[in-house]
Amino acid sequence: MSDSAKRIEIVIAGGNYAGFNALHHLYTVLLAAPSPANVHITLVDRRDGFVHFIGITRGLTEPEFGEKLWVPYSETPWISHPQITVKQATVSQITATAVHLADGSTLSFDYLIIALGQSRFAPIGVASTTHQEFVAELAEAHENIKKADNVVVVGGGAVGIEMAADVKADFPSKQVSLVHSRALPIPGPFKDEFRKEVVRILEEDIGVNVVLGDRTLNQLPQSTQPGMAETTSTAFVNTPVQLTSGKTLPADWAIFCLGTQSKLPLISLDASVITPNGIAVKPTLQVDHEELGHIFAVGDICARDEVKLAGVAMYGAYIAAHNISRSVLGVGKYEESEPNPSKLLLLMGKDHWAFQMGDEIWDKERTRQYVHDDMGLEVCVAGLSLRATPAHTPLET
Ligand SMILES: Cc1cc2nc3c(=O)[nH]c(=O)nc-3n(C[C@H](O)[C@H](O)[C@H](O)COP(=O)(O)OP(=O)(O)OC[C@H]3O[C@@H](n4cnc5c(N)ncnc54)[C@H](O)[C@@H]3O)c2cc1C
């Protein structure tokens, strides 16, 4: 084969909201075409399926629902395309030329999309690598929650709030406490009025004991693998939670939801693109370095000044997939990612929610249109074409 006919290798590291959507759009533009482009796409993920993280707190309190949150890649018809490889493996290091895997193999690439997200400790971050393990992981956590009279959730970010609310809503007779170190919960660009309304809903409507301005003294385990907090659990049985105020909260089940850990220990790119918020990117979502234009970073791992959300991750992946397609096909100029407005929808049990969109706090009725019984699972399954084959979508010129 001559050099001009050389197959172009595209690698996607991470296959969830961002990575899977990148694969989806590369497929619709490059491979679903009547004459598929001369590319080969490899998606690598440590799991054998997509995980709908948005529903994970309810999945722990309602495991029959939780089992549905994992959609095995084997259920996606179009990924059997001969120019796609889905590889289940752990990424140990990414350089400017290769993705190194824990099994000792490497994937070299012409284009790379980094979509490894952020790390959260298990069980929220999901330690499992197969659906079968996931079902067992949920069952174990659920048993511990069911047996507990006293539950303590530490960390009043979105995840801790949803966790405490889901436990109390599903098990009203349990004593559920939510501890947060600051005077109000929910870090990020949100209004105090929104924060106060969330505290009111938790306390008055749901019955959670909200403890503010107090910190835990408990020592937490460190992640054993750098960048892989999901392999370490921060949920414990029979572990009282000690606070700086001197109080001790009895806890038959305690879970620490203290934010995310970075995936950056897995990234060996020029130091100038590694920032505290993730990998620096241009508006085209190319890594922000003149020699790294063939590498894109999308979703939670990229350092855009935005609230890190699944929808933002999917949108960024769409832009990156289009830009790689434009480069491969020689069509038009690269597209740029529009700024995404700050927003936060908190789902607190099945009957309560709160939503801030930009600077506006929406009321319950207006927000209802975004609240789904399955916590958006089917919307994401459809949006990512996880169970249907999408049609060819030519690029606009
Ligand atoms: C409880 C909870 C509730 C949430 N609620 C909402 C919400 O209501 N709305 C919203 O928009 N967002 C919500 N989010 C945030 C949302 O889940 C993230 O923004 C989203 O997951 C980011 O997508 P991503 O593809 O960038 O990363 P991820 O979804 O984290 O995907 C990263 C992928 O990379 C893989 N990976 C990581 N490391 C490795 C490795 N070393 N080797 C191989 N594979 C690896 C992982 O297995 C995973 O598949 C919530 C998150 C949680 C935890």
PDB file of all heavy atoms in Angstrom, residues 14-18 45-47 53-54 56-57 89-91 115-117 120 124 159 162 228 230 263 266 299-300 308-311 313 345, ligand 1:
ATOM      1  N   GLY A  14     -11.023   6.243  26.818  1.00  0.00           N
ATOM      2  CA  GLY A  14     -12.187   6.492  27.670  1.00  0.00           C
ATOM      3  C   GLY A  14     -13.451   6.419  26.829  1.00  0.00           C
ATOM      4  O   GLY A  14     -13.537   7.074  25.790  1.00  0.00           O
ATOM      5  N   GLY A  15     -14.419   5.619  27.275  1.00  0.00           N
ATOM      6  CA  GLY A  15     -15.597   5.375  26.430  1.00  0.00           C
ATOM      7  C   GLY A  15     -16.906   5.598  27.154  1.00  0.00           C
ATOM      8  O   GLY A  15     -17.798   4.757  27.105  1.00  0.00           O
ATOM      9  N   ASN A  16     -17.029   6.766  27.831  1.00  0.00           N
ATOM     10  CA  ASN A  16     -18.318   7.014  28.490  1.00  0.00           C
ATOM     11  C   ASN A  16     -19.024   8.166  27.777  1.00  0.00           C
ATOM     12  O   ASN A  16     -19.114   8.153  26.556  1.00  0.00           O
ATOM     13  CB  ASN A  16     -18.109   7.242  29.988  1.00  0.00           C
ATOM     14  CG  ASN A  16     -19.190   6.549  30.808  1.00  0.00           C
ATOM     15  OD1 ASN A  16     -19.519   5.410  30.534  1.00  0.00           O
ATOM     16  ND2 ASN A  16     -19.765   7.236  31.768  1.00  0.00           N
ATOM     17  N   TYR A  17     -19.566   9.157  28.510  1.00  0.00           N
ATOM     18  CA  TYR A  17     -20.349  10.215  27.838  1.00  0.00           C
ATOM     19  C   TYR A  17     -19.520  10.854  26.719  1.00  0.00           C
ATOM     20  O   TYR A  17     -19.993  10.974  25.584  1.00  0.00           O
ATOM     21  CB  TYR A  17     -20.780  11.290  28.828  1.00  0.00           C
ATOM     22  CG  TYR A  17     -21.693  10.805  29.924  1.00  0.00           C
ATOM     23  CD1 TYR A  17     -21.204  10.497  31.191  1.00  0.00           C
ATOM     24  CD2 TYR A  17     -23.061  10.653  29.694  1.00  0.00           C
ATOM     25  CE1 TYR A  17     -22.044  10.052  32.197  1.00  0.00           C
ATOM     26  CE2 TYR A  17     -23.909  10.204  30.707  1.00  0.00           C
ATOM     27  CZ  TYR A  17     -23.386   9.910  31.951  1.00  0.00           C
ATOM     28  OH  TYR A  17     -24.218   9.461  32.947  1.00  0.00           O
ATOM     29  N   ALA A  18     -18.295  11.270  27.020  1.00  0.00           N
ATOM     30  CA  ALA A  18     -17.491  11.959  26.010  1.00  0.00           C
ATOM     31  C   ALA A  18     -16.932  10.974  24.991  1.00  0.00           C
ATOM     32  O   ALA A  18     -17.135  11.123  23.786  1.00  0.00           O
ATOM     33  CB  ALA A  18     -16.353  12.738  26.685  1.00  0.00           C
ATOM     34  N   ASP A  45     -11.324   1.325  26.966  1.00  0.00           N
ATOM     35  CA  ASP A  45     -11.904   1.653  28.276  1.00  0.00           C
ATOM     36  C   ASP A  45     -11.671   0.468  29.209  1.00  0.00           C
ATOM     37  O   ASP A  45     -11.657  -0.684  28.780  1.00  0.00           O
ATOM     38  CB  ASP A  45     -13.414   1.937  28.171  1.00  0.00           C
ATOM     39  CG  ASP A  45     -13.914   2.731  29.375  1.00  0.00           C
ATOM     40  OD1 ASP A  45     -13.986   2.158  30.495  1.00  0.00           O
ATOM     41  OD2 ASP A  45     -14.215   3.934  29.209  1.00  0.00           O
ATOM     42  N   ARG A  46     -11.519   0.762  30.508  1.00  0.00           N
ATOM     43  CA  ARG A  46     -11.310  -0.327  31.473  1.00  0.00           C
ATOM     44  C   ARG A  46     -12.600  -1.124  31.691  1.00  0.00           C
ATOM     45  O   ARG A  46     -12.568  -2.227  32.229  1.00  0.00           O
ATOM     46  CB  ARG A  46     -10.784   0.207  32.816  1.00  0.00           C
ATOM     47  CG  ARG A  46     -11.690   1.199  33.509  1.00  0.00           C
ATOM     48  CD  ARG A  46     -11.039   1.793  34.752  1.00  0.00           C
ATOM     49  NE  ARG A  46     -10.969   0.829  35.830  1.00  0.00           N
ATOM     50  CZ  ARG A  46     -11.955   0.620  36.710  1.00  0.00           C
ATOM     51  NH1 ARG A  46     -13.083   1.314  36.647  1.00  0.00           N
ATOM     52  NH2 ARG A  46     -11.819  -0.274  37.661  1.00  0.00           N
ATOM     53  N   ARG A  47     -13.732  -0.561  31.285  1.00  0.00           N
ATOM     54  CA  ARG A  47     -15.015  -1.250  31.483  1.00  0.00           C
ATOM     55  C   ARG A  47     -15.493  -1.887  30.179  1.00  0.00           C
ATOM     56  O   ARG A  47     -15.068  -1.484  29.106  1.00  0.00           O
ATOM     57  CB  ARG A  47     -16.073  -0.253  31.929  1.00  0.00           C
ATOM     58  CG  ARG A  47     -15.687   0.487  33.168  1.00  0.00           C
ATOM     59  CD  ARG A  47     -16.905   1.117  33.808  1.00  0.00           C
ATOM     60  NE  ARG A  47     -16.472   1.733  35.035  1.00  0.00           N
ATOM     61  CZ  ARG A  47     -16.331   3.041  35.208  1.00  0.00           C
ATOM     62  NH1 ARG A  47     -16.663   3.871  34.254  1.00  0.00           N
ATOM     63  NH2 ARG A  47     -15.897   3.514  36.351  1.00  0.00           N
ATOM     64  N   PHE A  53     -23.592   7.537  35.037  1.00  0.00           N
ATOM     65  CA  PHE A  53     -23.247   7.995  36.396  1.00  0.00           C
ATOM     66  C   PHE A  53     -24.348   8.824  37.040  1.00  0.00           C
ATOM     67  O   PHE A  53     -24.485   8.841  38.261  1.00  0.00           O
ATOM     68  CB  PHE A  53     -21.982   8.859  36.352  1.00  0.00           C
ATOM     69  CG  PHE A  53     -20.725   8.058  36.308  1.00  0.00           C
ATOM     70  CD1 PHE A  53     -19.872   8.144  35.236  1.00  0.00           C
ATOM     71  CD2 PHE A  53     -20.394   7.224  37.354  1.00  0.00           C
ATOM     72  CE1 PHE A  53     -18.704   7.408  35.189  1.00  0.00           C
ATOM     73  CE2 PHE A  53     -19.231   6.473  37.327  1.00  0.00           C
ATOM     74  CZ  PHE A  53     -18.385   6.561  36.238  1.00  0.00           C
ATOM     75  N   ILE A  54     -25.095   9.543  36.221  1.00  0.00           N
ATOM     76  CA  ILE A  54     -26.109  10.463  36.752  1.00  0.00           C
ATOM     77  C   ILE A  54     -27.071   9.723  37.684  1.00  0.00           C
ATOM     78  O   ILE A  54     -27.576  10.292  38.643  1.00  0.00           O
ATOM     79  CB  ILE A  54     -26.840  11.157  35.576  1.00  0.00           C
ATOM     80  CG1 ILE A  54     -25.854  12.075  34.842  1.00  0.00           C
ATOM     81  CG2 ILE A  54     -28.084  11.912  36.038  1.00  0.00           C
ATOM     82  CD1 ILE A  54     -26.391  12.674  33.547  1.00  0.00           C
ATOM     83  N   ILE A  56     -26.307   7.035  39.588  1.00  0.00           N
ATOM     84  CA  ILE A  56     -25.614   6.044  40.417  1.00  0.00           C
ATOM     85  C   ILE A  56     -26.068   6.075  41.889  1.00  0.00           C
ATOM     86  O   ILE A  56     -26.123   5.039  42.546  1.00  0.00           O
ATOM     87  CB  ILE A  56     -24.078   6.184  40.280  1.00  0.00           C
ATOM     88  CG1 ILE A  56     -23.415   4.833  40.427  1.00  0.00           C
ATOM     89  CG2 ILE A  56     -23.471   7.163  41.226  1.00  0.00           C
ATOM     90  CD1 ILE A  56     -23.457   3.997  39.213  1.00  0.00           C
ATOM     91  N   THR A  57     -26.411   7.251  42.415  1.00  0.00           N
ATOM     92  CA  THR A  57     -26.808   7.274  43.837  1.00  0.00           C
ATOM     93  C   THR A  57     -28.120   6.494  44.014  1.00  0.00           C
ATOM     94  O   THR A  57     -28.257   5.708  44.947  1.00  0.00           O
ATOM     95  CB  THR A  57     -26.968   8.722  44.353  1.00  0.00           C
ATOM     96  OG1 THR A  57     -27.892   9.425  43.502  1.00  0.00           O
ATOM     97  CG2 THR A  57     -25.641   9.460  44.359  1.00  0.00           C
ATOM     98  N   ALA A  89      -9.314  -2.412  28.351  1.00  0.00           N
ATOM     99  CA  ALA A  89      -7.961  -2.392  28.939  1.00  0.00           C
ATOM    100  C   ALA A  89      -7.801  -1.106  29.735  1.00  0.00           C
ATOM    101  O   ALA A  89      -8.513  -0.128  29.503  1.00  0.00           O
ATOM    102  CB  ALA A  89      -6.904  -2.440  27.832  1.00  0.00           C
ATOM    103  N   THR A  90      -6.863  -1.132  30.658  1.00  0.00           N
ATOM    104  CA  THR A  90      -6.597   0.055  31.480  1.00  0.00           C
ATOM    105  C   THR A  90      -5.461   0.867  30.871  1.00  0.00           C
ATOM    106  O   THR A  90      -4.398   0.313  30.576  1.00  0.00           O
ATOM    107  CB  THR A  90      -6.240  -0.373  32.921  1.00  0.00           C
ATOM    108  OG1 THR A  90      -7.371  -1.062  33.455  1.00  0.00           O
ATOM    109  CG2 THR A  90      -5.917   0.812  33.810  1.00  0.00           C
ATOM    110  N   VAL A  91      -5.711   2.147  30.695  1.00  0.00           N
ATOM    111  CA  VAL A  91      -4.679   3.058  30.188  1.00  0.00           C
ATOM    112  C   VAL A  91      -3.729   3.369  31.344  1.00  0.00           C
ATOM    113  O   VAL A  91      -4.175   3.783  32.423  1.00  0.00           O
ATOM    114  CB  VAL A  91      -5.331   4.371  29.680  1.00  0.00           C
ATOM    115  CG1 VAL A  91      -4.264   5.405  29.331  1.00  0.00           C
ATOM    116  CG2 VAL A  91      -6.236   4.085  28.483  1.00  0.00           C
ATOM    117  N   ALA A 115     -10.504  11.128  26.770  1.00  0.00           N
ATOM    118  CA  ALA A 115     -11.836  11.278  27.387  1.00  0.00           C
ATOM    119  C   ALA A 115     -11.913  10.421  28.654  1.00  0.00           C
ATOM    120  O   ALA A 115     -12.854   9.665  28.851  1.00  0.00           O
ATOM    121  CB  ALA A 115     -12.916  10.862  26.376  1.00  0.00           C
ATOM    122  N   LEU A 116     -10.877  10.552  29.500  1.00  0.00           N
ATOM    123  CA  LEU A 116     -10.786   9.681  30.686  1.00  0.00           C
ATOM    124  C   LEU A 116     -11.564  10.211  31.881  1.00  0.00           C
ATOM    125  O   LEU A 116     -11.597   9.578  32.933  1.00  0.00           O
ATOM    126  CB  LEU A 116      -9.316   9.488  31.081  1.00  0.00           C
ATOM    127  CG  LEU A 116      -8.442   8.728  30.076  1.00  0.00           C
ATOM    128  CD1 LEU A 116      -6.985   8.729  30.534  1.00  0.00           C
ATOM    129  CD2 LEU A 116      -8.925   7.294  29.892  1.00  0.00           C
ATOM    130  N   GLY A 117     -12.183  11.374  31.753  1.00  0.00           N
ATOM    131  CA  GLY A 117     -13.011  11.902  32.839  1.00  0.00           C
ATOM    132  C   GLY A 117     -12.200  12.290  34.063  1.00  0.00           C
ATOM    133  O   GLY A 117     -11.038  12.716  33.967  1.00  0.00           O
ATOM    134  N   ARG A 120     -13.577   9.264  40.767  1.00  0.00           N
ATOM    135  CA  ARG A 120     -14.315   9.374  42.032  1.00  0.00           C
ATOM    136  C   ARG A 120     -14.153   8.055  42.764  1.00  0.00           C
ATOM    137  O   ARG A 120     -14.169   7.000  42.134  1.00  0.00           O
ATOM    138  CB  ARG A 120     -15.810   9.594  41.773  1.00  0.00           C
ATOM    139  CG  ARG A 120     -16.148  10.976  41.302  1.00  0.00           C
ATOM    140  CD  ARG A 120     -17.659  11.159  41.273  1.00  0.00           C
ATOM    141  NE  ARG A 120     -18.002  12.538  41.048  1.00  0.00           N
ATOM    142  CZ  ARG A 120     -18.074  13.124  39.847  1.00  0.00           C
ATOM    143  NH1 ARG A 120     -17.829  12.423  38.763  1.00  0.00           N
ATOM    144  NH2 ARG A 120     -18.391  14.391  39.732  1.00  0.00           N
ATOM    145  N   ILE A 124     -19.357   5.306  44.256  1.00  0.00           N
ATOM    146  CA  ILE A 124     -19.863   6.301  43.294  1.00  0.00           C
ATOM    147  C   ILE A 124     -19.059   6.193  42.000  1.00  0.00           C
ATOM    148  O   ILE A 124     -19.605   6.164  40.900  1.00  0.00           O
ATOM    149  CB  ILE A 124     -19.748   7.735  43.880  1.00  0.00           C
ATOM    150  CG1 ILE A 124     -20.617   7.890  45.137  1.00  0.00           C
ATOM    151  CG2 ILE A 124     -20.094   8.793  42.830  1.00  0.00           C
ATOM    152  CD1 ILE A 124     -22.103   7.825  44.924  1.00  0.00           C
ATOM    153  N   VAL A 159     -23.113  15.341  44.395  1.00  0.00           N
ATOM    154  CA  VAL A 159     -23.185  13.886  44.575  1.00  0.00           C
ATOM    155  C   VAL A 159     -23.621  13.534  45.999  1.00  0.00           C
ATOM    156  O   VAL A 159     -24.513  12.701  46.205  1.00  0.00           O
ATOM    157  CB  VAL A 159     -21.817  13.232  44.233  1.00  0.00           C
ATOM    158  CG1 VAL A 159     -21.851  11.745  44.533  1.00  0.00           C
ATOM    159  CG2 VAL A 159     -21.463  13.475  42.766  1.00  0.00           C
ATOM    160  N   GLU A 162     -27.341  14.265  46.497  1.00  0.00           N
ATOM    161  CA  GLU A 162     -28.225  13.271  45.872  1.00  0.00           C
ATOM    162  C   GLU A 162     -28.157  11.938  46.613  1.00  0.00           C
ATOM    163  O   GLU A 162     -29.165  11.238  46.743  1.00  0.00           O
ATOM    164  CB  GLU A 162     -27.863  13.112  44.390  1.00  0.00           C
ATOM    165  CG  GLU A 162     -28.171  14.389  43.608  1.00  0.00           C
ATOM    166  CD  GLU A 162     -28.104  14.264  42.090  1.00  0.00           C
ATOM    167  OE1 GLU A 162     -27.547  13.265  41.565  1.00  0.00           O
ATOM    168  OE2 GLU A 162     -28.605  15.173  41.415  1.00  0.00           O
ATOM    169  N   MET A 228      -6.586   6.680  39.726  1.00  0.00           N
ATOM    170  CA  MET A 228      -7.582   5.618  39.621  1.00  0.00           C
ATOM    171  C   MET A 228      -8.327   5.456  40.957  1.00  0.00           C
ATOM    172  O   MET A 228      -8.428   4.365  41.511  1.00  0.00           O
ATOM    173  CB  MET A 228      -6.916   4.292  39.216  1.00  0.00           C
ATOM    174  CG  MET A 228      -6.241   4.331  37.850  1.00  0.00           C
ATOM    175  SD  MET A 228      -7.379   4.629  36.478  1.00  0.00           S
ATOM    176  CE  MET A 228      -8.316   3.125  36.501  1.00  0.00           C
ATOM    177  N   GLU A 230     -11.313   5.288  41.538  1.00  0.00           N
ATOM    178  CA  GLU A 230     -12.483   4.406  41.451  1.00  0.00           C
ATOM    179  C   GLU A 230     -12.194   2.987  41.927  1.00  0.00           C
ATOM    180  O   GLU A 230     -13.116   2.225  42.202  1.00  0.00           O
ATOM    181  CB  GLU A 230     -13.060   4.388  40.030  1.00  0.00           C
ATOM    182  CG  GLU A 230     -12.116   4.046  38.897  1.00  0.00           C
ATOM    183  CD  GLU A 230     -11.418   5.271  38.298  1.00  0.00           C
ATOM    184  OE1 GLU A 230     -10.890   6.096  39.076  1.00  0.00           O
ATOM    185  OE2 GLU A 230     -11.383   5.387  37.066  1.00  0.00           O
ATOM    186  N   LYS A 263      -7.315  12.694  36.809  1.00  0.00           N
ATOM    187  CA  LYS A 263      -6.759  11.643  35.935  1.00  0.00           C
ATOM    188  C   LYS A 263      -5.399  12.074  35.365  1.00  0.00           C
ATOM    189  O   LYS A 263      -4.792  11.341  34.585  1.00  0.00           O
ATOM    190  CB  LYS A 263      -7.716  11.394  34.760  1.00  0.00           C
ATOM    191  CG  LYS A 263      -8.974  10.648  35.151  1.00  0.00           C
ATOM    192  CD  LYS A 263      -8.741   9.158  35.192  1.00  0.00           C
ATOM    193  CE  LYS A 263      -9.918   8.435  35.806  1.00  0.00           C
ATOM    194  NZ  LYS A 263      -9.612   7.027  36.097  1.00  0.00           N
ATOM    195  N   LEU A 266      -2.068  10.152  34.664  1.00  0.00           N
ATOM    196  CA  LEU A 266      -1.963   9.232  33.518  1.00  0.00           C
ATOM    197  C   LEU A 266      -1.503   9.948  32.246  1.00  0.00           C
ATOM    198  O   LEU A 266      -1.344   9.315  31.206  1.00  0.00           O
ATOM    199  CB  LEU A 266      -3.327   8.565  33.250  1.00  0.00           C
ATOM    200  CG  LEU A 266      -3.974   7.837  34.433  1.00  0.00           C
ATOM    201  CD1 LEU A 266      -5.338   7.290  34.048  1.00  0.00           C
ATOM    202  CD2 LEU A 266      -3.072   6.710  34.919  1.00  0.00           C
ATOM    203  N   GLY A 299     -14.626  16.437  27.642  1.00  0.00           N
ATOM    204  CA  GLY A 299     -15.309  15.990  28.853  1.00  0.00           C
ATOM    205  C   GLY A 299     -14.615  16.492  30.108  1.00  0.00           C
ATOM    206  O   GLY A 299     -13.877  17.490  30.088  1.00  0.00           O
ATOM    207  N   ASP A 300     -14.823  15.771  31.197  1.00  0.00           N
ATOM    208  CA  ASP A 300     -14.350  16.228  32.514  1.00  0.00           C
ATOM    209  C   ASP A 300     -12.848  16.432  32.582  1.00  0.00           C
ATOM    210  O   ASP A 300     -12.364  17.172  33.437  1.00  0.00           O
ATOM    211  CB  ASP A 300     -14.736  15.207  33.595  1.00  0.00           C
ATOM    212  CG  ASP A 300     -16.184  15.336  34.037  1.00  0.00           C
ATOM    213  OD1 ASP A 300     -16.930  16.118  33.433  1.00  0.00           O
ATOM    214  OD2 ASP A 300     -16.569  14.626  34.998  1.00  0.00           O
ATOM    215  N   LYS A 308     -18.470  20.832  35.108  1.00  0.00           N
ATOM    216  CA  LYS A 308     -18.216  19.561  34.410  1.00  0.00           C
ATOM    217  C   LYS A 308     -19.481  18.711  34.451  1.00  0.00           C
ATOM    218  O   LYS A 308     -19.891  18.251  35.508  1.00  0.00           O
ATOM    219  CB  LYS A 308     -17.014  18.861  35.046  1.00  0.00           C
ATOM    220  CG  LYS A 308     -15.701  19.662  34.836  1.00  0.00           C
ATOM    221  CD  LYS A 308     -14.493  18.921  35.323  1.00  0.00           C
ATOM    222  CE  LYS A 308     -13.225  19.750  35.363  1.00  0.00           C
ATOM    223  NZ  LYS A 308     -12.646  20.091  34.083  1.00  0.00           N
ATOM    224  N   LEU A 309     -20.069  18.531  33.282  1.00  0.00           N
ATOM    225  CA  LEU A 309     -21.362  17.842  33.185  1.00  0.00           C
ATOM    226  C   LEU A 309     -21.355  16.869  32.012  1.00  0.00           C
ATOM    227  O   LEU A 309     -20.616  17.049  31.032  1.00  0.00           O
ATOM    228  CB  LEU A 309     -22.485  18.864  32.947  1.00  0.00           C
ATOM    229  CG  LEU A 309     -22.787  19.832  34.086  1.00  0.00           C
ATOM    230  CD1 LEU A 309     -23.726  20.933  33.626  1.00  0.00           C
ATOM    231  CD2 LEU A 309     -23.398  19.083  35.280  1.00  0.00           C
ATOM    232  N   ALA A 310     -22.261  15.888  32.084  1.00  0.00           N
ATOM    233  CA  ALA A 310     -22.334  14.874  31.026  1.00  0.00           C
ATOM    234  C   ALA A 310     -22.686  15.507  29.676  1.00  0.00           C
ATOM    235  O   ALA A 310     -22.102  15.159  28.642  1.00  0.00           O
ATOM    236  CB  ALA A 310     -23.365  13.818  31.408  1.00  0.00           C
ATOM    237  N   GLY A 311     -23.627  16.450  29.691  1.00  0.00           N
ATOM    238  CA  GLY A 311     -24.046  17.088  28.438  1.00  0.00           C
ATOM    239  C   GLY A 311     -22.903  17.880  27.815  1.00  0.00           C
ATOM    240  O   GLY A 311     -22.704  17.871  26.594  1.00  0.00           O
ATOM    241  N   ALA A 313     -19.755  17.202  28.238  1.00  0.00           N
ATOM    242  CA  ALA A 313     -18.800  16.189  27.753  1.00  0.00           C
ATOM    243  C   ALA A 313     -19.234  15.665  26.385  1.00  0.00           C
ATOM    244  O   ALA A 313     -18.423  15.521  25.466  1.00  0.00           O
ATOM    245  CB  ALA A 313     -18.704  15.040  28.758  1.00  0.00           C
ATOM    246  N   LEU A 345     -28.752  20.635  37.949  1.00  0.00           N
ATOM    247  CA  LEU A 345     -30.053  20.035  38.283  1.00  0.00           C
ATOM    248  C   LEU A 345     -29.791  19.008  39.373  1.00  0.00           C
ATOM    249  O   LEU A 345     -29.043  18.052  39.157  1.00  0.00           O
ATOM    250  CB  LEU A 345     -30.640  19.358  37.033  1.00  0.00           C
ATOM    251  CG  LEU A 345     -31.888  18.491  37.247  1.00  0.00           C
ATOM    252  CD1 LEU A 345     -33.051  19.321  37.792  1.00  0.00           C
ATOM    253  CD2 LEU A 345     -32.304  17.811  35.945  1.00  0.00           C
TER     254      LEU A 345
HETATM  255  C1  LIG B   1     -23.644  10.876  41.135  1.00  0.00           C
HETATM  256  C2  LIG B   1     -23.386  11.739  39.944  1.00  0.00           C
HETATM  257  C3  LIG B   1     -24.411  12.519  39.449  1.00  0.00           C
HETATM  258  C4  LIG B   1     -24.212  13.329  38.338  1.00  0.00           C
HETATM  259  N1  LIG B   1     -25.249  14.049  37.869  1.00  0.00           N
HETATM  260  C5  LIG B   1     -25.116  14.735  36.717  1.00  0.00           C
HETATM  261  C6  LIG B   1     -26.238  15.373  36.127  1.00  0.00           C
HETATM  262  O1  LIG B   1     -27.361  15.343  36.651  1.00  0.00           O
HETATM  263  N2  LIG B   1     -26.058  16.001  34.938  1.00  0.00           N
HETATM  264  C7  LIG B   1     -24.842  16.016  34.315  1.00  0.00           C
HETATM  265  O2  LIG B   1     -24.762  16.576  33.213  1.00  0.00           O
HETATM  266  N3  LIG B   1     -23.749  15.457  34.873  1.00  0.00           N
HETATM  267  C8  LIG B   1     -23.850  14.816  36.049  1.00  0.00           C
HETATM  268  N4  LIG B   1     -22.765  14.196  36.616  1.00  0.00           N
HETATM  269  C9  LIG B   1     -21.420  14.432  36.027  1.00  0.00           C
HETATM  270  C10 LIG B   1     -21.163  13.537  34.832  1.00  0.00           C
HETATM  271  O3  LIG B   1     -21.306  12.198  35.221  1.00  0.00           O
HETATM  272  C11 LIG B   1     -19.755  13.804  34.293  1.00  0.00           C
HETATM  273  O4  LIG B   1     -19.648  15.165  33.920  1.00  0.00           O
HETATM  274  C12 LIG B   1     -19.492  12.897  33.119  1.00  0.00           C
HETATM  275  O5  LIG B   1     -19.393  11.561  33.566  1.00  0.00           O
HETATM  276  C13 LIG B   1     -18.227  13.290  32.345  1.00  0.00           C
HETATM  277  O6  LIG B   1     -18.123  12.458  31.238  1.00  0.00           O
HETATM  278  P1  LIG B   1     -16.685  11.981  30.708  1.00  0.00           P
HETATM  279  O7  LIG B   1     -16.970  11.085  29.549  1.00  0.00           O
HETATM  280  O8  LIG B   1     -15.805  13.147  30.534  1.00  0.00           O
HETATM  281  O9  LIG B   1     -16.069  11.131  31.891  1.00  0.00           O
HETATM  282  P2  LIG B   1     -16.597   9.758  32.510  1.00  0.00           P
HETATM  283  O10 LIG B   1     -18.054   9.618  32.369  1.00  0.00           O
HETATM  284  O11 LIG B   1     -16.006   9.701  33.875  1.00  0.00           O
HETATM  285  O12 LIG B   1     -15.898   8.655  31.596  1.00  0.00           O
HETATM  286  C14 LIG B   1     -14.534   8.376  31.644  1.00  0.00           C
HETATM  287  C15 LIG B   1     -14.318   6.998  31.035  1.00  0.00           C
HETATM  288  O13 LIG B   1     -12.913   6.740  31.024  1.00  0.00           O
HETATM  289  C16 LIG B   1     -12.679   5.435  31.506  1.00  0.00           C
HETATM  290  N5  LIG B   1     -11.376   5.421  32.146  1.00  0.00           N
HETATM  291  C17 LIG B   1     -10.935   6.219  33.130  1.00  0.00           C
HETATM  292  N6  LIG B   1      -9.678   5.903  33.451  1.00  0.00           N
HETATM  293  C18 LIG B   1      -9.316   4.908  32.647  1.00  0.00           C
HETATM  294  C19 LIG B   1      -8.122   4.173  32.458  1.00  0.00           C
HETATM  295  N7  LIG B   1      -7.024   4.413  33.192  1.00  0.00           N
HETATM  296  N8  LIG B   1      -8.099   3.202  31.524  1.00  0.00           N
HETATM  297  C20 LIG B   1      -9.174   2.943  30.744  1.00  0.00           C
HETATM  298  N9  LIG B   1     -10.333   3.612  30.885  1.00  0.00           N
HETATM  299  C21 LIG B   1     -10.391   4.582  31.812  1.00  0.00           C
HETATM  300  C22 LIG B   1     -13.793   5.174  32.498  1.00  0.00           C
HETATM  301  O14 LIG B   1     -13.995   3.754  32.667  1.00  0.00           O
HETATM  302  C23 LIG B   1     -14.971   5.875  31.840  1.00  0.00           C
HETATM  303  O15 LIG B   1     -15.692   5.020  30.997  1.00  0.00           O
HETATM  304  C24 LIG B   1     -22.930  13.369  37.726  1.00  0.00           C
HETATM  305  C25 LIG B   1     -21.877  12.584  38.232  1.00  0.00           C
HETATM  306  C26 LIG B   1     -22.111  11.769  39.321  1.00  0.00           C
HETATM  307  C27 LIG B   1     -20.992  10.904  39.835  1.00  0.00           C
END
